[in-house]
Amino acid sequence: MTGSEPAPSPTADLRTGLDVEAGAGSGAEADVEVDGPLTGDELNTLFHAAWPGHRDADFGPVLARSLLRVTARRAGRLVGYVNVVGDGGVHAFLLDTTVHPDERRRGLGVTLVRAAAGAARERGAHWLHVDFEPHLTEFHERCGFRPTAAGLMALDGPASADPASADLTSDGPDAPAD
């Protein structure tokens, strides 16, 4: 999830999300690379700019477990990132799509995701999954995703921390049989 991916620019092609006007700043002009060099310091700098409240993180374990990652640079500066992890089989998962606020509304996010999808396909994935908040639906549809039913379970605290969740410790009428 990106947190707050904005609406496309007024010059974006709604079928692709990419800017149709040539000129400085379009997503297509950034240097997009699969598995290019990347440091944790660069990611922390990008995440600080793009994600309010980001705290420095050690990205070593994340990058070590990636199936691939796609970066975008402008004048050598990291301005976009997406991570893809895999299950070792045919499923891949899109994570942390991030575009620097100064680079948004130019099609760069869609460019990153499409590059990630192509690279995941080349590495044997048949399905690319993504979870996102409802306000990001249009962005992900422009990337080529279609809605599906999915589930989510919080693992970092008691079930009661999520007010939308029911008592997950009891067998309710919809609980699966053991």
Side-chain angles (χ1 to χ4, degrees):
M1 293 184 283
T2 63
S4 61
E5 187 70 34
S9 74
T11 60
D13 178 330
L14 294 179
R15 291 167 296 146
T16 65
L18 299 176
D19 258 345
V20 293
E21 279 187 1
S26 73
E29 291 182 3
D31 295 321
V32 175
E33 186 174 10
V34 175
D35 291 334
L38 181 64
T39 69
D41 287 342
E42 289 178 303
L43 280 172
N44 278 311
T45 298
L46 175 61
F47 278 39
H48 278 294
W51 296 79
H54 171 73
R55 294 184 179 158
D56 281 351
D58 176 6
F59 284 99
V62 171
L63 297 175
R65 289 173 176 82
S66 293
L67 174 64
L68 62 100
R69 63 184 181 273
V70 181
T71 56
R73 295 177 184 278
R74 191 174 307 284
R77 179 176 145 242
L78 183 67
V79 296
Y81 164 81
V82 66
N83 186 25
V84 177
V85 297
D87 69 347
V90 298
H91 296 274
F93 303 84
L94 188 71
L95 301 170
D96 297 331
T97 304
T98 304
V99 174
H100 192 283
D102 294 343
E103 298 288 329
R104 292 180 180 163
R105 299 180 185 240
R106 299 176 182 170
L108 184 56
V110 173
T111 298
L112 288 166
V113 171
R114 289 189 177 169
R121 184 182 317 105
E122 289 173 6
R123 295 184 187 185
H126 294 211
W127 300 99
L128 184 59
H129 303 260
V130 65
D131 291 327
F132 53 86
E133 295 173 1
H135 69 278
L136 296 170
T137 299
E138 289 182 36
F139 167 76
H140 286 94
E141 286 176 347
R142 284 193 316 272
C143 293
F145 288 98
R146 297 294 167 251
T148 63
L152 179 65
M153 178 189 299
L155 301 177
D156 60 351
S160 61
D162 179 2
S165 70
D167 179 4
L168 300 178
T169 61
S170 66
D171 291 337
D174 296 327
D178 290 336

